[in-house]
Amino acid sequence: MGYPEQPTGTGHFPSTGGHPHQQYPPRQPPPGQARAGSAGPALLGVALLLPALIALIWSYVVPTFSTVLTSFREEDLFRAPRPAGVENYRTLFEDGFLSQFGLVLLLALLPLALALVLAPLLSFVADRAGRLARLLARAVLALPVAAYAPVAVYLGWRLHRRDPEFSTDGARLELAWAVAATSFGLVVAVAATAYLSALRRREPGRWPYQAMLTVGGVVGLAVLAGALQIYTAPALLTGGGPTRSTTTPVLGLVQVSFVTFRLGVGAASATLLLVILGVLGLVATGLLLASRARIDFDGWRDRPAASPGAAGGPSGLLVGIVVAALVVLLAVFAWASAPWLRHAFSSPDTPSGPNLPEVLVDTWLPPLVSAVVSVGLAAVAGFGIGALRPLGRWSELLLLPFAPWLFVGIGPLAIVGFKRASENDQIDTFLGLIPPVWLSVPALFVFTLLFRGLAPKWRSGGDPARTLLLPALPMLAAAVLLTWLVHAQQLLWPLLVVHRVENAPAPLLANMWTQQFRSSGGEILSLVLPLPLLVVFLLAFVALQIGYLDRLAIRTGRPPGEPDRGE
């Protein structure tokens, strides 16, 4: 006696009919998920990570160990090194190294308040005030980033200060005020941009406290790490004086290494600084891993927002508050940058030797090489970790080898960088002007979180070009532009590798020229960030803020549809 046949497409059993205990083939996963779960993408993800690891070793790991080794030697630029034990560290503390960290905490106090109090308040009000107010805020926030020119700003302050001498008692407070005023716009702009993404499109009535706390923690650690590596402000405004009261750790290690030629003592200072920065980087990485942070892309078209401020009622008041806050932000930024901006339209006569095209090439082309390579390797590695997921749900643990150098800039590794440039005959050369950074570790973290958020749509069967590559291209452009601008505006690296004025990029040339011709040297400041380039950066960052960054959401926790175990 046979079993009755099940109706096709109905009943409890599959529509293929047959015995109820018959074994049926398992449901096949979508093509994208099959690709992501196989061994091929995992191996490819590891392969894509290797170039970044090599760049990390060359740019950070080897210089770090070389710095530590130098710190236990008596070494200068003229004689063979000799063992010194811990004498360099003893000398360092006798010279007042701990007081430098007290200065750092003072310099970081107001920027931390801006990043952890003012920026989230501005972001919250702008988010609740509706889409137009939010986009207006994003457009205004692009200006302090595009106008990043610390050398020009501090040289302008130095040129137009009525009393060029700092009093001994008030030197630290005066420097702290200068740093807070000139960094006001940049700190608020960068922090508010991140907070706005953390606030983007949540369910009504649900406060994104975890995402906001994660962003706040990382931003606060980044501000503290930046304060630890401040060089330009004290170098140009006070020279570290009077009586070394305004000497920061990086300024101190540069002075002791390249003025008094005690490379061992300078390396000891750099080593302690690297330890602190490494701890900060590990803490930030642990925070991102513990919160399971990711960056989601909500699509190119706006969907109806669930913001309470978008519908009637308080939105008018909130819009007014946002506009008033942005006016204050622009006013403070304009006041702090006025000593530079008043020369932005000048046509400088460059010093004898270099001509304008050579200065522009030396200023902008070497940093562009470093920016393209360092960000490109970071994007490739971020794709390997975030999208291909070599370790499944544990793939973000692959960020740990990079974490100690997340916040490390050129300053703590300056001694090894200079020695490399000297040994390779790169002083006063184009190659020497290229910043010795071949991997952008912050960009690697950003791309990993971005591809982490994009990957589920690809694994569910989406086209990789539309779900992974196209949403990441604007981030690639933003990272390259920002890295390029930051590297082009640095003073420390050109100061180490350029000895002849005809090879000097604009920031270093402006410093030389204003020192020599204090009464009439302001016109040279227009070369540091020329007005046409400023306009280009501004238009690019405004477009990225409104057209792309506004569609990114920083979220935490397990993504919808992700299994509890594995990927």
Side-chain angles (χ1 to χ4, degrees):
M1 186 174 188
Y3 288 92
E5 185 176 83
Q6 291 290 334
T8 302
T10 61
H12 178 71
F13 303 108
S15 60
T16 55
H19 195 284
H21 299 289
Q22 179 180 342
Q23 297 296 319
Y24 296 98
R27 181 176 179 268
Q28 295 297 321
Q33 188 164 341
R35 288 192 301 267
S38 62
L43 294 177
L44 179 59
V46 174
L48 294 179
L49 187 61
L50 288 179
L53 283 172
I54 294 173
L56 175 78
I57 293 171
W58 175 252
S59 298
Y60 295 100
V61 179
V62 172
T64 296
F65 281 100
S66 180
T67 300
V68 174
L69 184 62
T70 303
S71 71
F72 293 101
R73 292 175 174 175
E74 182 182 344
E75 184 173 342
D76 54 36
L77 299 176
F78 311 103
R79 296 172 296 179
R82 295 176 295 177
V86 297
E87 186 62 31
N88 290 325
Y89 290 91
R90 184 179 295 109
T91 301
L92 184 66
F93 283 99
E94 290 175 353
D95 289 346
F97 178 73
L98 291 179
S99 66
Q100 298 176 7
F101 282 91
L103 174 62
V104 164
L105 294 177
L106 179 63
L107 297 181
L109 189 60
L110 286 178
L112 278 172
L114 296 174
L116 300 180
V117 179
L118 183 59
L121 287 176
L122 173 62
S123 304
F124 177 76
V125 176
D127 180 73
R128 306 287 277 191
R131 180 172 180 269
L132 290 179
R134 189 182 70 248
L135 293 182
L136 175 63
R138 284 189 174 275
V140 172
L141 294 176
L143 177 59
V145 180
Y148 177 76
V151 173
V153 171
Y154 290 127
L155 286 178
W157 276 51
R158 189 174 73 186
L159 285 172
H160 297 284
R161 194 170 62 227
R162 292 182 179 179
D163 181 10
E165 298 296 332
F166 282 89
S167 63
T168 301
D169 295 335
R172 288 191 165 197
L173 291 176
E174 198 166 353
L175 180 63
W177 163 246
V179 169
T182 54
S183 65
F184 176 87
L186 182 66
V187 171
V188 173
V190 174
T193 297
Y195 286 121
L196 283 171
S197 292
L199 289 166
R200 178 174 173 82
R201 291 208 173 100
R202 304 284 168 167
E203 293 85 356
R206 182 178 178 183
W207 172 249
Y209 66 92
Q210 189 176 29
M212 291 290 287
L213 290 176
T214 300
V215 169
V218 174
V219 167
L221 292 170
V223 170
L224 183 57
L228 284 166
Q229 299 173 85
I230 286 179
Y231 170 80
T232 303
L236 296 183
L237 292 179
T238 67
T243 62
R244 304 188 66 185
S245 61
T246 58
T247 300
T248 58
V250 173
L251 178 60
L253 75 88
V254 169
Q255 289 178 338
V256 77
S257 300
F258 303 106
V259 177
T260 63
F261 303 110
R262 294 181 295 167
L263 268 64
V265 178
S269 176
T271 298
L272 296 178
L273 185 56
L274 285 168
V275 170
I276 298 174
L277 293 173
V279 171
L280 295 179
L282 288 169
V283 172
T285 304
L287 184 60
L288 293 173
L289 295 180
S291 64
R292 305 186 70 178
R294 65 190 185 278
I295 301 176
D296 289 338
F297 178 68
D298 284 347
W300 297 109
R301 295 183 179 180
D302 279 329
R303 294 172 292 178
S307 174
S315 63
L317 175 62
L318 293 177
V319 170
I321 295 175
V322 171
V323 172
L326 294 177
V327 169
V328 172
L329 173 67
L330 289 176
V332 174
F333 169 76
W335 172 80
S337 304
W340 160 50
L341 293 177
R342 72 178 61 179
H343 300 292
F345 298 93
S346 304
S347 298
D349 295 324
T350 58
S352 59
N355 55 43
L356 182 58
E358 291 177 348
V359 172
L360 293 178
V361 168
D362 290 338
T363 302
W364 295 100
L365 191 53
L368 180 60
V369 175
S370 176
V372 170
V373 175
S374 63
V375 174
L377 292 179
V380 171
F383 178 83
I385 299 174
L388 299 181
R389 320 289 300 158
L391 302 182
R393 68 175 296 187
W394 308 106
S395 295
E396 279 74 26
L397 292 177
L398 293 171
L399 292 174
L400 288 176
F402 302 88
W405 295 275
L406 174 61
F407 298 130
V408 174
I410 292 177
L413 303 175
I415 296 174
V416 177
F418 173 77
K419 290 165 68 174
R420 279 182 175 177
S422 300
E423 293 167 358
N424 295 318
D425 296 324
Q426 293 178 349
I427 303 298
D428 287 315
T429 65
F430 178 86
L431 291 178
L433 282 172
I434 298 177
V437 179
W438 299 109
L439 175 68
S440 174
V441 181
L444 169 61
F445 276 64
V446 170
F447 280 109
T448 298
L449 299 183
L450 177 62
F451 284 116
R452 168 80 164 118
L454 297 175
K457 294 181 181 178
W458 169 59
R459 292 199 299 271
S460 64
D463 178 60
R466 294 178 60 86
T467 58
L468 292 177
L469 299 183
L470 288 180
L473 286 179
M475 181 63 78
L476 181 65
V480 169
L481 286 174
L482 186 60
T483 304
W484 182 27
L485 176 61
V486 170
H487 284 177
Q489 296 302 308
Q490 297 303 306
L491 177 64
L492 176 55
W493 182 247
L495 186 65
L496 296 179
V497 298
V498 174
H499 297 164
R500 295 182 299 185
V501 66
E502 57 267 25
N503 301 112
L508 180 58
L509 185 66
N511 185 38
M512 296 176 176
W513 191 241
T514 53
Q515 285 182 338
Q516 186 174 0
F517 303 100
R518 180 179 177 85
S519 60
S520 61
E523 294 78 9
I524 195 70
L525 299 183
S526 63
L527 276 183
V528 178
L529 181 57
L531 186 61
L533 275 176
L534 173 59
V535 172
V536 170
F537 279 112
L538 179 59
L539 293 177
F541 287 135
V542 168
L544 287 167
Q545 280 276 19
I546 295 177
Y548 178 69
L549 295 179
D550 187 57
R551 289 162 169 79
L552 297 181
I554 299 175
R555 296 184 173 120
T556 55
R558 184 167 61 90
E562 181 182 279
D564 292 333
R565 296 181 181 273
E567 276 290 339

